Amino acid sequence: MLKEFRDFIARGNVLDLAVAVIIGAAFGKIITSLTDDIIMPVIGKIFGGLDFSSYFIILGEVPEKLRGSTDYAALKAAGVPLLGWGAFVTAAVNFAIVAFIIFLIVRSVNRMTAKPVEAAPEPAAEPADVVLLREIRDALVKRD
C-alpha cells in the first residue's frame, strides 16, 4: 500500500496539481488586491463615491456602543448578524476577473499546443502473397 501511494504521488499529475494549487492561492491574493485596491475604488469613484464594502443589511441586535455605525468590519467583529451584499458584489467581481484570466491562459496554452493536421499516412505496401493471389485471380478472369 505504501508503494502504491508513493507511485501515486510520483506521478506528474499529482505534482502538477500541487504546484497549481500553490500558484492559484498566490494568484487569488493578487486578484483580491486588484479588485479591492484598484477596480472597486475606480467603480466607486465613477458612481459617486460608492463603496461596496459599506453596503449591508443588519439582521440582528446591534450592541449599544456600535449603534448607528456603518463600519461593516466592526459590526461583523462584534458578532452582529449581517447580510453583506456589498462584500458579495466584490467577491463576484473577483471571481469574474479570475475566471476571465484563467480562460485567457487556457486559450493561449491550447493555441500554442495545437497540433498541426497531418496528412493521412500512405497505406502500407501489400504483402507479396496477396499481390500474387490478386494477379492469379485477374489472369483467371481474363481467361474465361
Side-chain angles (χ1 to χ4, degrees), residues 27-105:
F27 186 68
K29 290 179 183 178
I30 292 170
I31 295 300
T32 299
S33 176
L34 173 70
T35 305
D36 292 346
D37 301 331
I38 296 174
I39 294 174
M40 295 311 270
V42 169
I43 291 173
K45 183 70 172 170
I46 291 171
F47 291 105
L50 185 64
D51 179 15
F52 284 99
S53 65
S54 66
Y55 286 96
F56 57 89
I57 298 171
I58 299 173
L59 300 175
E61 193 65 34
V62 177
E64 188 64 38
K65 64 180 181 177
L66 292 174
R67 289 199 193 269
S69 174
T70 59
D71 186 2
Y72 179 75
L75 288 168
K76 192 166 185 151
V80 177
L82 302 170
L83 181 68
W85 65 271
F88 175 76
V89 168
T90 302
V93 170
N94 276 349
F95 172 77
I97 292 169
V98 169
F100 183 69
I101 291 174
I102 289 174
F103 164 74
L104 292 177
I105 291 170

